[in-house]
Short mmCIF file of all heavy atoms in Angstrom, two decimals:
data_model
loop_
_atom_site.label_atom_id
_atom_site.label_comp_id
_atom_site.label_asym_id
_atom_site.label_seq_id
_atom_site.Cartn_x
_atom_site.Cartn_y
_atom_site.Cartn_z
N TYR A 1 79.02 97.36 110.31
CA TYR A 1 79.73 98.61 110.55
C TYR A 1 81.25 98.42 110.61
O TYR A 1 81.99 98.90 109.75
CB TYR A 1 79.22 99.28 111.83
CG TYR A 1 77.78 99.71 111.73
CD1 TYR A 1 76.76 98.95 112.29
CD2 TYR A 1 77.43 100.88 111.05
CE1 TYR A 1 75.43 99.33 112.18
CE2 TYR A 1 76.10 101.28 110.94
CZ TYR A 1 75.10 100.50 111.51
OH TYR A 1 73.79 100.87 111.38
N LEU A 2 81.72 97.69 111.63
CA LEU A 2 83.16 97.53 111.80
C LEU A 2 83.76 96.74 110.64
O LEU A 2 84.77 97.14 110.03
CB LEU A 2 83.45 96.83 113.13
CG LEU A 2 84.93 96.68 113.48
CD1 LEU A 2 85.59 98.05 113.61
CD2 LEU A 2 85.09 95.88 114.77
N GLY A 3 83.13 95.62 110.29
CA GLY A 3 83.65 94.78 109.20
C GLY A 3 83.66 95.51 107.88
O GLY A 3 84.65 95.46 107.14
N HIS A 4 82.58 96.22 107.57
CA HIS A 4 82.51 96.95 106.30
C HIS A 4 83.56 98.05 106.23
O HIS A 4 84.18 98.26 105.18
CB HIS A 4 81.11 97.54 106.12
CG HIS A 4 80.09 96.52 105.71
ND1 HIS A 4 78.79 96.85 105.39
CD2 HIS A 4 80.19 95.17 105.55
CE1 HIS A 4 78.14 95.75 105.05
NE2 HIS A 4 78.96 94.72 105.16
N SER A 5 83.73 98.78 107.32
CA SER A 5 84.70 99.88 107.33
C SER A 5 86.12 99.36 107.11
O SER A 5 86.88 99.90 106.31
CB SER A 5 84.62 100.65 108.65
OG SER A 5 83.34 101.23 108.82
N MET A 6 86.49 98.30 107.84
CA MET A 6 87.84 97.75 107.73
C MET A 6 88.06 97.07 106.38
O MET A 6 89.19 96.94 105.92
CB MET A 6 88.09 96.75 108.86
CG MET A 6 88.11 97.37 110.24
SD MET A 6 88.36 96.15 111.56
CE MET A 6 90.02 95.61 111.19
N TRP A 7 86.98 96.65 105.74
CA TRP A 7 87.07 95.99 104.44
C TRP A 7 87.13 97.00 103.31
O TRP A 7 88.05 96.99 102.48
CB TRP A 7 85.86 95.06 104.30
CG TRP A 7 85.72 94.36 102.98
CD1 TRP A 7 86.62 94.33 101.95
CD2 TRP A 7 84.60 93.58 102.55
NE1 TRP A 7 86.11 93.58 100.89
CE2 TRP A 7 84.89 93.11 101.24
CE3 TRP A 7 83.39 93.24 103.13
CZ2 TRP A 7 83.99 92.32 100.52
CZ3 TRP A 7 82.51 92.44 102.42
CH2 TRP A 7 82.81 92.00 101.13
N TYR A 8 86.20 97.92 103.27
CA TYR A 8 86.02 98.76 102.09
C TYR A 8 86.96 99.96 102.02
O TYR A 8 87.35 100.39 100.94
CB TYR A 8 84.57 99.24 102.00
CG TYR A 8 83.59 98.15 101.69
CD1 TYR A 8 82.50 97.90 102.52
CD2 TYR A 8 83.76 97.34 100.57
CE1 TYR A 8 81.60 96.89 102.23
CE2 TYR A 8 82.87 96.33 100.28
CZ TYR A 8 81.78 96.11 101.12
OH TYR A 8 80.90 95.10 100.83
N ILE A 9 87.33 100.55 103.16
CA ILE A 9 88.21 101.72 103.12
C ILE A 9 89.56 101.37 102.50
O ILE A 9 90.02 102.05 101.57
CB ILE A 9 88.36 102.33 104.53
CG1 ILE A 9 87.04 102.98 104.96
CG2 ILE A 9 89.48 103.38 104.55
CD1 ILE A 9 87.04 103.51 106.38
N PRO A 10 90.25 100.30 102.96
CA PRO A 10 91.51 99.93 102.27
C PRO A 10 91.29 99.53 100.82
O PRO A 10 92.12 99.82 99.96
CB PRO A 10 92.02 98.74 103.10
CG PRO A 10 91.34 98.84 104.41
CD PRO A 10 90.01 99.44 104.13
N PHE A 11 90.16 98.88 100.52
CA PHE A 11 89.88 98.43 99.16
C PHE A 11 89.80 99.62 98.19
O PHE A 11 90.47 99.65 97.15
CB PHE A 11 88.57 97.65 99.15
CG PHE A 11 88.17 97.13 97.80
CD1 PHE A 11 88.80 96.02 97.25
CD2 PHE A 11 87.16 97.74 97.07
CE1 PHE A 11 88.43 95.53 96.01
CE2 PHE A 11 86.79 97.27 95.82
CZ PHE A 11 87.43 96.16 95.29
N PHE A 12 89.01 100.63 98.54
CA PHE A 12 88.86 101.79 97.67
C PHE A 12 90.12 102.65 97.68
O PHE A 12 90.42 103.31 96.68
CB PHE A 12 87.64 102.61 98.09
CG PHE A 12 86.34 102.07 97.55
CD1 PHE A 12 85.62 101.13 98.26
CD2 PHE A 12 85.86 102.48 96.32
CE1 PHE A 12 84.42 100.62 97.76
CE2 PHE A 12 84.68 101.97 95.80
CZ PHE A 12 83.95 101.04 96.52
N LEU A 13 90.84 102.66 98.78
CA LEU A 13 92.11 103.40 98.83
C LEU A 13 93.10 102.83 97.83
O LEU A 13 93.74 103.57 97.07
CB LEU A 13 92.68 103.35 100.24
CG LEU A 13 94.07 104.00 100.43
CD1 LEU A 13 94.01 105.49 100.14
CD2 LEU A 13 94.59 103.74 101.85
N ILE A 14 93.22 101.50 97.80
CA ILE A 14 94.15 100.85 96.87
C ILE A 14 93.72 101.08 95.43
O ILE A 14 94.54 101.32 94.54
CB ILE A 14 94.27 99.35 97.21
CG1 ILE A 14 95.01 99.19 98.54
CG2 ILE A 14 95.00 98.59 96.11
CD1 ILE A 14 95.05 97.77 99.05
N LEU A 15 92.40 100.99 95.17
CA LEU A 15 91.90 101.25 93.82
C LEU A 15 92.24 102.66 93.37
O LEU A 15 92.65 102.89 92.22
CB LEU A 15 90.39 101.04 93.77
CG LEU A 15 89.86 99.60 93.71
CD1 LEU A 15 88.35 99.60 93.61
CD2 LEU A 15 90.46 98.84 92.54
N PHE A 16 92.07 103.63 94.26
CA PHE A 16 92.36 105.03 93.90
C PHE A 16 93.85 105.23 93.66
O PHE A 16 94.25 105.94 92.72
CB PHE A 16 91.86 105.98 94.97
CG PHE A 16 92.13 107.43 94.66
CD1 PHE A 16 91.38 108.09 93.70
CD2 PHE A 16 93.15 108.11 95.31
CE1 PHE A 16 91.64 109.42 93.39
CE2 PHE A 16 93.41 109.44 95.00
CZ PHE A 16 92.65 110.10 94.05
N ILE A 17 94.68 104.64 94.51
CA ILE A 17 96.13 104.76 94.33
C ILE A 17 96.53 104.18 92.98
O ILE A 17 97.35 104.76 92.24
CB ILE A 17 96.87 104.06 95.48
CG1 ILE A 17 96.63 104.80 96.79
CG2 ILE A 17 98.37 103.97 95.19
CD1 ILE A 17 97.10 104.04 98.02
N TYR A 18 95.96 103.03 92.63
CA TYR A 18 96.23 102.44 91.33
C TYR A 18 95.77 103.37 90.20
O TYR A 18 96.45 103.53 89.19
CB TYR A 18 95.53 101.08 91.22
CG TYR A 18 95.62 100.46 89.85
CD1 TYR A 18 96.81 99.89 89.40
CD2 TYR A 18 94.52 100.44 88.99
CE1 TYR A 18 96.91 99.32 88.15
CE2 TYR A 18 94.61 99.87 87.73
CZ TYR A 18 95.80 99.32 87.32
OH TYR A 18 95.89 98.76 86.07
N PHE A 19 94.61 103.99 90.40
CA PHE A 19 94.04 104.88 89.39
C PHE A 19 94.94 106.08 89.12
O PHE A 19 95.03 106.56 87.98
CB PHE A 19 92.66 105.35 89.84
CG PHE A 19 91.93 106.21 88.85
CD1 PHE A 19 91.31 105.65 87.74
CD2 PHE A 19 91.87 107.58 89.03
CE1 PHE A 19 90.63 106.45 86.83
CE2 PHE A 19 91.20 108.38 88.11
CZ PHE A 19 90.58 107.82 87.01
N THR A 20 95.65 106.55 90.15
CA THR A 20 96.52 107.72 89.97
C THR A 20 97.67 107.45 89.00
O THR A 20 98.25 108.38 88.44
CB THR A 20 97.11 108.18 91.32
OG1 THR A 20 97.87 107.10 91.89
CG2 THR A 20 96.02 108.59 92.29
N GLY A 21 97.99 106.17 88.79
CA GLY A 21 99.06 105.83 87.87
C GLY A 21 98.58 105.45 86.48
O GLY A 21 99.38 105.05 85.64
N CYS A 22 97.27 105.57 86.24
CA CYS A 22 96.69 105.15 84.96
C CYS A 22 96.54 106.33 83.98
O CYS A 22 95.46 106.53 83.40
CB CYS A 22 95.33 104.49 85.19
SG CYS A 22 95.42 102.94 86.08
N PHE A 23 97.59 107.11 83.81
CA PHE A 23 97.55 108.25 82.89
C PHE A 23 98.72 108.15 81.91
O PHE A 23 99.80 107.65 82.26
CB PHE A 23 97.60 109.57 83.64
CG PHE A 23 96.34 109.88 84.42
CD1 PHE A 23 96.18 109.41 85.72
CD2 PHE A 23 95.31 110.61 83.85
CE1 PHE A 23 95.03 109.68 86.43
CE2 PHE A 23 94.16 110.89 84.55
CZ PHE A 23 94.01 110.42 85.85
N THR A 24 98.48 108.61 80.71
CA THR A 24 99.50 108.52 79.66
C THR A 24 99.40 109.73 78.73
O THR A 24 98.31 110.26 78.52
CB THR A 24 99.32 107.23 78.84
OG1 THR A 24 100.25 107.21 77.77
CG2 THR A 24 97.92 107.13 78.27
N PRO A 25 100.52 110.18 78.17
CA PRO A 25 100.47 111.27 77.19
C PRO A 25 100.16 110.78 75.78
O PRO A 25 99.93 111.59 74.87
CB PRO A 25 101.89 111.86 77.25
CG PRO A 25 102.74 110.70 77.66
CD PRO A 25 101.90 109.84 78.55
N VAL A 26 100.14 109.46 75.60
CA VAL A 26 99.91 108.86 74.28
C VAL A 26 98.43 108.56 74.09
O VAL A 26 97.86 107.73 74.81
CB VAL A 26 100.74 107.57 74.10
CG1 VAL A 26 100.56 107.03 72.69
CG2 VAL A 26 102.21 107.83 74.40
N ALA A 27 97.80 109.24 73.12
CA ALA A 27 96.37 109.08 72.91
C ALA A 27 96.00 107.67 72.47
O ALA A 27 94.92 107.17 72.79
CB ALA A 27 95.88 110.09 71.88
N GLU A 28 96.91 106.99 71.76
CA GLU A 28 96.63 105.65 71.27
C GLU A 28 96.44 104.64 72.40
O GLU A 28 95.79 103.61 72.23
CB GLU A 28 97.74 105.17 70.33
CG GLU A 28 97.76 105.82 68.95
CD GLU A 28 98.27 107.26 69.00
OE1 GLU A 28 98.88 107.64 70.03
OE2 GLU A 28 98.05 108.01 68.03
#
């Protein structure tokens, strides 16, 4: 419980923040 929460919440938060910058107007 405690270990998983402290481990996974920051992990997925960082992944999502990174994902927000993965957009481009160039189709190629």
Side-chain angles (χ1 to χ4, degrees):
Y1 295 100
L2 184 61
H4 283 185
S5 298
M6 294 178 66
W7 176 8
Y8 291 125
I9 291 175
F11 180 77
F12 278 89
L13 176 63
I14 290 173
L15 283 182
F16 180 74
I17 293 169
Y18 174 74
F19 184 77
T20 59
C22 294
F23 290 87
T24 176
V26 184
E28 287 74 16

